[in-house]
Amino acid sequence: MRAIQYQPDRLDLLDQTRLPHQAVFITCRSAKDVYEAIRSMRVRGAPAIGAAAAFGLALEARRIDPAEVRTRLPEVAAWMKTARPTAVNLMQAVDEMMEALENAPPGSEADVLYERAVAIAEQDVRTNRRIGEIGAMRIARHGGRVLTHCNTGSLATVEYGTALGILRAMRDAGTLEHVYVDETRPYLQGARLTAYELQEEGIPFDIITDSTAGFAMKLGWIDAVIVGADRIAQNGDTANKIGTYALAVLAAYHGIPFYVAAPTTTVDLATPCGDAIPIEERSAEEVTHWMGKPVAPEGASARHLAFDVTPNHLITAIITEAGVAEPPYAESLARLCENRYRKTKLEG
Ligand code: MRU
């Protein structure tokens, strides 16, 4: 079942804040509905956020007086980009929608935008399948016991997933032995969402607390680490869910390969290095409370950085649908992204 279901006049999103215990869809009918779903993390994960935002703009185009779509939608688009600042797929998808708007024959704007949103969503599915194939071959050389962080599966994308897609492909190839799932404080995307997806698939796994990862490596449980990405800078520095940096440091210390899996739409060649990636800081209450109940003393102060940046030298390779980028990333990522632009032009 897809977590993102679309029709020209509605977008149904599986509410990820209620998983794994309740599988409830919410219906969005405007850009504002989608913006709020993204901000509140009812839909989350970089590619899923990008696709949802694209549909949000398409929905809005249908609500606006056709004579005003071209003048009013750009403002909505700029606002949509502010829903979450780190995942660059959001910015890429919104820019792609605005380009489609510019080229749309007058009078057909809403239809053209819907078709473009569908294209973005369906492209994501094909991309993830390819990342899975490429990644499964690459990871299997290290062994079948893999540690992952956050949720990078069907819930974080339109379907199949990136890092979790590789795990699916390894399972299909018979090379996956066991998955260790970081619980991923404070939102528990690992314990709630990745565990949910792996269980549905019948893939053997154990959830571990984030602080167990280092000792699990020391005990020899882990052959490789695979994580997703929210933004990969031109030099390969990678922003991903908070805790990823610590995992990369631990993996380097223990001599364990550390992979990033992401579509080339997550590569931001305009951002030179990790220092230039905006890091979302979310409400402290998401740390001091759980499901609305306090877990810290009343009035306790907290910081909630939602992402961190892993420097390129800690990353063994970056697996994309266009191939595997090896260091030095400035060259390899530029080459893989160039292939994407050329292919999009040919297909277009
Ligand atoms: O805050 P989230 O849950 O949106 O963060 C998600 C992640 O960090 C994922 O690892 C990343 O978006 C890749 S999803 C394929």
Side-chain angles (χ1 to χ4, degrees):
M1 182 176 62
R2 279 196 185 183
I4 295 183
Q5 299 184 4
Y6 47 83
Q7 289 176 42
D9 62 343
R10 62 188 282 172
L11 178 69
D12 294 299
L13 298 172
L14 181 58
D15 183 348
Q16 298 194 32
T17 61
R18 295 166 79 168
L19 287 173
H21 303 300
Q22 292 172 310
V24 177
F25 277 84
I26 55 160
T27 300
C28 300
R29 295 192 184 274
S30 65
K32 183 166 176 283
D33 291 348
V34 174
Y35 177 92
E36 277 164 7
I38 294 173
R39 271 206 74 78
S40 58
M41 295 181 58
R42 292 179 204 287
V43 57
R44 45 142 300 280
I49 291 170
F55 283 110
L57 295 178
L59 287 171
E60 199 62 24
R62 224 167 268 285
R63 289 161 55 91
I64 296 175
D65 178 343
E68 293 180 9
V69 176
R70 277 171 205 274
T71 48
R72 286 179 52 198
L73 208 62
E75 200 183 316
V76 180
W79 173 69
M80 186 66 89
K81 282 184 177 180
T82 65
R84 293 195 72 191
T86 304
V88 77
N89 305 59
L90 170 61
M91 326 310 161
Q92 299 250 20
V94 169
D95 287 344
E96 199 175 323
M97 293 295 282
M98 287 302 97
E99 206 182 304
L101 177 63
E102 260 174 46
N103 298 326
S108 67
E109 289 86 353
D111 290 339
V112 165
L113 287 174
Y114 177 69
E115 278 161 27
R116 183 53 67 103
V118 172
I120 289 173
E122 296 308 323
Q123 179 64 40
D124 181 60
V125 179
R126 288 192 292 276
T127 293
N128 295 336
R129 295 256 170 201
R130 188 77 191 119
I131 291 174
E133 281 168 32
I134 295 172
M137 280 191 288
R138 176 68 187 230
I139 302 299
R141 63 165 83 157
H142 304 294
R145 300 165 310 158
V146 180
L147 172 66
T148 192
H149 191 66
C150 197
N151 172 264
T152 58
S154 288
L155 295 166
T157 59
V158 177
E159 198 179 273
Y160 201 68
T162 56
L164 207 155
I166 294 175
L167 300 178
R168 286 193 158 95
M170 287 177 72
R171 187 272 315 274
D172 292 346
T175 55
L176 184 67
E177 264 177 63
H178 201 83
V179 182
Y180 290 94
V181 180
D182 267 1
E183 63 173 349
T184 317
R185 275 280 293 155
Y187 240 75
L188 303 188
Q189 289 95 330
R192 293 189 303 112
L193 307 177
T194 298
Y196 175 77
E197 288 197 42
L198 294 177
Q199 200 162 55
E200 294 264 299
E201 289 274 0
I203 293 176
F205 70 92
D206 285 310
I207 299 168
I208 56 173
T209 60
D210 298 342
S211 46
T212 301
F215 197 50
M217 292 178 190
K218 164 89 170 67
L219 292 173
W221 294 0
I222 314 292
D223 297 319
V225 179
I226 323 178
V227 299
D230 286 82
R231 190 185 298 225
I232 301 171
Q234 187 240 5
N235 72 345
D237 291 351
T238 295
N240 191 48
K241 180 52 54 193
I242 194 75
T244 303
Y245 169 66
L247 271 186
V249 172
L250 288 166
Y253 181 78
H254 292 95
I256 293 170
F258 181 92
Y259 286 93
V260 170
T264 49
T265 46
T266 305
V267 179
D268 181 9
L269 295 179
T271 296
C273 64
D275 291 346
I277 299 177
I279 298 295
E280 175 182 11
E281 182 154 7
R282 293 184 63 88
S283 145
E285 205 178 296
E286 290 176 355
V287 173
T288 57
H289 288 62
W290 174 243
M291 305 293 264
K293 293 214 168 76
V295 289
E298 208 183 311
S301 170
R303 294 287 301 269
H304 181 190
L305 300 179
F307 301 97
D308 57 29
V309 176
T310 299
N312 56 17
H313 68 271
L314 295 178
I315 300 170
T316 307
I318 299 174
I319 300 164
T320 77
E321 80 282 9
V324 179
E326 313 268 358
Y329 293 112
E331 286 162 29
S332 56
L333 287 174
R335 207 172 45 245
L336 294 184
C337 289
E338 191 184 316
N339 286 343
R340 170 164 71 89
Y341 293 129
R342 199 176 309 131
K343 201 163 159 276
T344 315
K345 261 199 185 138
L346 285 175
E347 280 170 359

